[in-house]
Amino acid sequence: MDDAEVKFRASKYIQGMEERLQKIGDLGNFNKLVELARQYTEDAEYYLEKGDLVTSLVDVVYAEGLLDSINFLTAKEESQVSKKVFVGGTFDLIHPGHIEFLKEASRYGRVFVSVARDENSEKAKGRRPINDENIRLEVVKGIRYVHDAFLGDSKDFLKSVEKVKPDIVFLGPDQKVNEEDLKRALKERGLDVEVIRMKERINKWNHSSSSQIIGEIISRYCDNQGNQKETNKEGKS
C-alpha cells in the first residue's frame, strides 16, 4: 500500500470519527473519555496534514478504542467509525478485476458483500455460475478487502441492502443499475444512502472478467463443437 492510499484511508478514518463524535450526546461520567477521543482525533488530523501518516493513524485508532470502550461499558450502539459500504455481485471465477473493484470499495469504508444466489445469477447472465453460491461466498469471505459477506436475498435485492444499512452502495462500472432509481427505492424503505459507481473497469490483465476466463478455457481445451480436445501426458493439447 503506497503513501497516497494510506493518506486517503487515514482521511476517511478521521472523517468517520468526526461524524461519530458529532452524534454523541451527554454520556455523564464518560464525557471525559469522549473529550479525550476528540483530542486524539484532532491530533490525527494535524499529523495527517503534516504528512506523519503513522502518528495520524495511531491517534485515530486510540480515539476509536476509547469510543468502542464506552459502547461496551454502556451497551450503547453508536455509529461505527468507518462507513459501511455495500457491494453486490456474483463473483464467479475470482480474478484481478474483482480484487481491484473490492479494493476500490474499501477506500470508502468497511465492505459488506452480498453474493448473488445461483438462480438470480443465471437470470442476470443467461448461464449458471461455474461455482455454486456457497463456494463463491467462501472465496469472497477470504478476500482481504471484505469485512463481511453473505448470500443475498433470492427474491428482493433491496432486502440485502436493508440488512447492512450501509452509508454507501458501491456499484461496478458494468452493473445495470440506475443510481437515482436505486437511491429513490432505498429512501422509500427508510435508507438514505449515497450511491457511488466505479468509473471504469481496470483492464491491465489478460483476464479481467469471468467471460474472458471461460473463453480462454474453451479455446484451449475444446474444439469447435465444444468437445474436449485430446491432451498428452503433460495435459497439453
Side-chain angles (χ1 to χ4, degrees):
M1 189 182 301
D2 58 26
D3 285 352
E5 184 167 353
V6 174
K7 186 173 183 179
F8 180 89
R9 291 198 178 198
S11 176
K12 289 291 182 181
Y13 207 171
I14 292 168
Q15 180 183 348
M17 178 59 76
E18 290 173 341
E19 292 174 357
R20 184 180 183 184
L21 286 165
Q22 288 175 1
K23 296 177 181 178
I24 296 177
D26 186 359
L27 295 181
N29 293 334
F30 294 100
N31 284 338
K32 289 184 178 180
L33 290 180
V34 173
E35 184 57 34
L36 188 57
R38 200 182 310 278
Q39 291 174 11
Y40 273 123
T41 303
E42 291 173 357
D43 288 346
E45 188 168 14
Y46 169 80
Y47 285 112
L48 181 65
E49 291 175 357
K50 294 294 184 181
D52 187 345
L53 303 181
V54 173
T55 304
S56 177
L57 284 171
V58 169
D59 281 340
V60 76
V61 168
Y62 278 158
E64 175 187 18
L66 287 168
L67 294 194
D68 285 347
S69 297
I70 296 172
N71 283 349
F72 177 76
L73 292 170
T74 63
K76 291 182 181 293
E77 295 185 1
E78 304 167 56
S79 61
Q80 296 294 321
V81 170
S82 56
K83 292 183 177 181
K84 289 183 179 180
V85 182
F86 176 91
V87 168
T90 299
F91 297 98
D92 193 21
L93 300 179
I94 293 294
H95 51 74
H98 286 128
I99 304 301
E100 286 293 333
F101 172 61
L102 293 169
K103 179 180 178 181
E104 184 67 19
S106 74
R107 290 165 65 91
Y108 295 93
R110 291 169 298 139
V111 177
F112 294 79
V113 179
S114 172
V115 176
R117 298 282 183 157
D118 289 341
E119 58 186 292
N120 294 340
S121 177
E122 185 173 8
K123 289 176 184 176
K125 296 180 179 292
R127 63 169 177 81
R128 288 189 66 80
I130 301 299
N131 292 315
D132 69 41
E133 57 193 35
N134 292 307
I135 293 174
R136 292 183 284 110
L137 174 61
E138 196 64 25
V139 173
V140 169
K141 281 184 174 181
I143 297 174
R144 61 179 293 189
Y145 302 109
V146 175
H147 180 78
D148 192 19
F150 58 93
L151 291 175
D153 189 275
S154 60
K155 303 298 182 184
D156 185 353
F157 166 75
L158 294 184
K159 284 186 178 180
S160 297
V161 186
E162 287 180 301
K163 177 179 179 178
V164 175
K165 294 182 174 59
D167 301 286
I168 297 169
V169 171
F170 192 72
L171 300 174
D174 303 328
Q175 286 183 297
K176 297 177 181 178
V177 178
N178 181 281
E179 291 97 318
E180 293 305 317
D181 288 347
L182 177 59
K183 288 175 67 175
R184 192 178 304 110
L186 289 172
K187 201 152 192 174
E188 289 174 357
R189 301 195 184 195
L191 296 176
D192 188 9
V193 178
E194 182 181 3
V195 178
I196 300 174
R197 185 182 292 275
M198 188 173 178
K199 292 181 180 179
E200 58 186 2
R201 178 191 291 271
I202 298 175
N203 289 311
K204 60 184 179 182
W205 303 276
N206 290 334
H207 298 140
S208 294
S209 73
S210 298
S211 299
Q212 289 177 343
I213 295 174
I214 293 171
E216 179 76 11
I217 292 171
I218 292 173
S219 68
R220 287 194 187 191
Y221 301 110
C222 299
D223 60 23
N224 293 334
Q225 283 73 46
N227 300 311
Q228 183 176 354
K229 293 180 181 178
E230 292 185 8
T231 59
N232 59 24
K233 292 181 179 179
E234 287 73 30
K236 298 178 180 178
S237 57

